[in-house]
Amino acid sequence: MAVTSPRDDKFHDECGVFGVWKVPDAAAVTALGLHALQHRGQESTGIVSFDGSHFHSHRGLGLVGDNFSDARVIAALPGTTAIGHNRYATTGATVLRNVQPLYADFEFGGFAVAHNGNLTNSHVLRRTLVRRGCLFQSTSDSEVFVHLIAISLYSTVVDRLIDALKQVVGAYSLVALSTEAMMGVRDPLGVRPLILGRIGTDSPAGGTGGWVLASETCALDIVGADFVRDVEPGEVVVINDQGVHSIKPFGRSRERFCVFEYIYFARPDSIMEGTPVYDARKSIGAELARESAVPADVVVPVPDSGVPAAMGYAAESRIPFELGIIRNHYVGRTFIEPTDHIRHLGVKLKHSANRSVLAGKRVILVDDSIVRGTTSRKIVEMVRQAGAREVHMRISSPPTTHSCFYGIDTPERGELLAARLSVEEMAEQICVDSLAFISIDGLYRALGKPDRDAARPHYCDACFTGDYPIALPDKADNSERQLSLLAESH
Ligand code: AMP
């Protein structure tokens, strides 16, 4: 059922997680994996390694390259197991104490955890834990896991982790490290991605090889690992010297993988649920062309995220694909700019019009999404200034009408253009001759699924439909079940 968001809080924690078990130079391999996952978070990064007797940690603000290029930093992270994290969160202070992986010393030994996603009941859990005397070091909701594990009455680390998982509500992927095992977890609906890979089985040094956990398969390619499988929704994988042990602590529930991973968030060379993201984006573009054809001279992507969809659109419509906008790669994503004014400038810094392609032409511009509308407005203005005769905007997602509470950065509902305006009004705002978004059914069809409501929806598409599959912050906060579970476990 569609519900509206009860509170316009910002809950976002776009992240990438990575871990390796029994691999030479584990920290260096982890730094490479994190580098491949840089698009999932650019604000801070960290690695915790384990050398068989001690844990070592390095965490810092900024990019992976800024923190882990120095050989001395890597040398100070010895061991054959390591986990790492990239984070982008704009709520809370950008301070080192919020940077993951989080690490704690327990009576059973050290424990480190890296988390992608959001816990929607973290407020109530945090309140209850603080009342019980837990001292929080950070404002990150991931620390809730650490305290729940610390106070659990179970004896093994894995049982304590499962005890903690049963108390949290949210969308998350976790990679955790103890003295005995590396663990990977996906939330019961599998909203956030996590994959398992094998590394080093054919290395000249021989040996049985090690294991990798990562948010996306693009992180396997860079470290020369092979894809084994997706970690399943609601699955806990425990990796130790005996191999991979799978536990399913939650009852069966239908998968609701985040459809925005296909549209924008994942890297195009990653494979998700067996589908190459690049192919998915091209199919979405083709479906968009079938749904909203318009006569034009060129199809122009808004780079980089609009490129595969524009290729699909151009192939289907038989209108030439041209690079009418050139991207400057030395500027970060415009989204990370803090104010509207700077964001406006940011768009100019990042994109410029390729006049020779645009002058006198009827242009179809293809982008993946309109959030606040800042990017589209500036791009359209730029394309018109370069002499385009007509500008038709085509968007490879349905209108973003709702905020994400499950780990993708979206502004408050009030700032979402599509939450306030009709498609016609949006077209007027961004000054285009026509504007069309892919339909929600078209999106499902492009991903090889039946129409959205023909079966129970396969994806989490709350940002487009308002159908939130996991209790939202207020609901989760008030959940008696959560409070009683917490009480029961003590
Ligand atoms: P806006 O300018 O606010 O309409 O933002 C739309 C642009 O931001 C699009 O070109 C997208 O490629 C990009 N975008 C959409 N969602 C996100 C996100 N969660 N994080 C960063 N960039 C995004």
Side-chain angles (χ1 to χ4, degrees):
M1 195 188 72
V3 291
T4 49
S5 124
R7 195 165 71 188
D8 270 346
D9 268 354
K10 293 178 81 166
F11 279 79
H12 36 75
D13 228 352
E14 297 178 346
C15 301
V17 293
F18 187 88
V20 282
W21 177 263
K22 291 296 152 76
V23 173
D25 302 322
V29 173
T30 301
L32 280 177
L34 291 178
H35 175 67
L37 297 171
Q38 189 73 83
H39 60 288
R40 298 186 72 86
Q42 302 94 37
E43 188 188 80
S44 65
T45 184
I47 295 177
V48 171
S49 72
F50 179 58
D51 65 9
S53 50
H54 294 99
F55 285 84
H56 308 269
S57 161
H58 183 89
R59 302 180 299 159
L61 303 179
L63 303 177
V64 178
D66 301 335
N67 283 281
F68 294 109
S69 300
D70 187 339
R72 286 168 301 184
V73 173
I74 296 291
L77 295 166
T80 56
T81 63
I83 65 169
H85 189 261
N86 288 336
R87 176 164 193 256
Y88 164 47
T90 56
T91 45
T94 306
V95 288
L96 209 48
R97 66 198 174 102
N98 279 342
V99 179
Q100 297 192 36
L102 298 178
Y103 174 80
D105 271 315
F106 294 137
E107 73 237 42
F108 56 77
F111 182 83
V113 63
H115 162 221
N116 167 214
N118 276 115
L119 306 183
T120 53
N121 69 339
S122 65
H123 283 82
V124 70
L125 289 174
R126 181 182 276 261
R127 245 191 340 258
T128 316
L129 287 162
V130 167
R131 266 190 233 128
R132 286 176 50 94
C134 296
L135 299 174
F136 276 76
Q137 310 272 311
S138 75
T139 54
S140 150
D141 60 354
S142 317
E143 198 183 339
V144 163
F145 281 112
V146 174
H147 291 288
L148 289 174
I149 290 166
I151 63 173
S152 172
L153 298 179
Y154 286 91
S155 53
T156 70
V157 182
V158 173
D159 286 343
R160 283 170 181 246
L161 174 64
I162 291 170
D163 188 26
L165 292 172
K166 287 190 169 165
Q167 296 168 67
V168 302
V169 178
Y172 53 84
S173 285
L174 289 185
V175 174
L177 188 63
S178 73
T179 53
E180 281 146 33
M182 178 167 78
M183 291 144 276
V185 188
R186 268 179 93 190
D187 67 78
L189 300 188
V191 175
R192 301 262 64 89
L194 189 67
I195 51 114
L196 176 69
R198 199 89 167 92
I199 186 168
T201 42
D202 55 359
S203 88
T208 52
W211 296 94
V212 184
L213 288 168
S215 296
E216 292 182 36
T217 60
C218 64
L220 297 181
D221 300 334
I222 193 172
V223 301
D226 295 318
F227 175 74
V228 175
R229 64 179 178 85
D230 288 310
V231 175
E232 289 176 28
E235 182 182 11
V236 178
V237 289
V238 180
I239 300 168
N240 56 25
D241 289 342
Q242 278 70 56
V244 178
H245 179 54
S246 165
I247 305 169
K248 305 257 177 72
F250 312 106
R252 272 191 73 83
S253 42
R254 288 278 292 273
E255 178 166 2
R256 296 292 292 271
F257 182 60
C258 169
V259 77
F260 201 63
E261 292 275 355
Y262 284 117
I263 292 166
Y264 169 81
F265 202 46
R267 230 171 70 163
D269 54 334
S270 284
I271 298 174
M272 303 205 135
E273 304 176 293
T275 303
V277 171
Y278 181 70
D279 292 358
R281 288 184 190 162
K282 285 209 295 187
S283 312
I284 296 170
E287 183 65 31
L288 184 59
R290 284 190 288 275
E291 284 189 352
S292 53
V294 59
D297 304 310
V298 281
V299 173
V300 169
V302 179
D304 290 330
S305 47
V307 172
M311 290 170 73
Y313 193 106
E316 181 66 24
S317 63
R318 297 171 191 270
I319 299 172
F321 171 91
E322 297 289 356
L323 296 179
I325 299 167
I326 304 301
R327 162 137 183 225
N328 182 329
H329 283 270
Y330 305 95
V331 187
R333 287 180 172 181
T334 49
F335 223 72
I336 62 179
E337 307 297 351
T339 67
D340 255 358
H341 173 64
I342 302 293
R343 241 190 314 275
H344 277 277
L345 293 176
V347 173
K348 281 196 182 145
L349 288 173
K350 191 170 156 185
H351 296 112
S352 49
N354 188 1
R355 194 172 288 272
S356 67
V357 164
L358 302 168
K361 302 277 176 46
R362 294 169 301 167
V363 177
I364 298 178
L365 277 177
V366 180
D367 201 0
D368 62 273
S369 55
I370 293 179
V371 183
R372 297 180 182 88
T374 320
T375 310
S376 320
R377 209 162 21 233
K378 283 284 144 194
I379 296 273
V380 171
E381 193 184 313
M382 194 182 278
V383 168
R384 286 203 190 276
Q385 277 171 3
R389 190 149 53 91
E390 289 175 22
V391 182
H392 302 276
M393 188 96 193
R394 295 293 177 266
I395 303 293
S396 65
S397 65
T400 303
T401 50
H402 289 74
S403 300
C404 179
F405 294 86
Y406 307 141
I408 297 286
D409 172 34
T410 37
E412 293 169 7
R413 252 203 112 186
E415 288 182 49
L416 298 174
L417 202 62
R420 292 187 282 118
L421 305 180
S422 68
V423 174
E424 291 71 29
E425 289 166 335
M426 290 170 83
E428 214 169 290
Q429 274 259 331
I430 64 172
C431 297
V432 285
D433 296 285
S434 78
L435 169 67
F437 295 79
I438 194 166
S439 69
I440 189 79
D441 284 339
L443 175 62
Y444 272 68
R445 276 196 301 278
L447 294 170
K449 300 284 182 284
D451 287 358
R452 181 182 190 273
D453 295 327
R456 244 187 84 188
H458 179 79
Y459 299 108
C460 176
D461 51 22
C463 49
F464 309 128
T465 61
D467 174 9
Y468 289 98
I470 300 168
L472 287 171
D474 277 356
K475 295 242 161 76
D477 276 7
N478 295 330
S479 159
E480 288 308 315
R481 189 177 149 267
Q482 291 312 312
L483 289 168
S484 62
L485 268 174
L486 193 62
E488 261 169 38
S489 78
H490 305 110

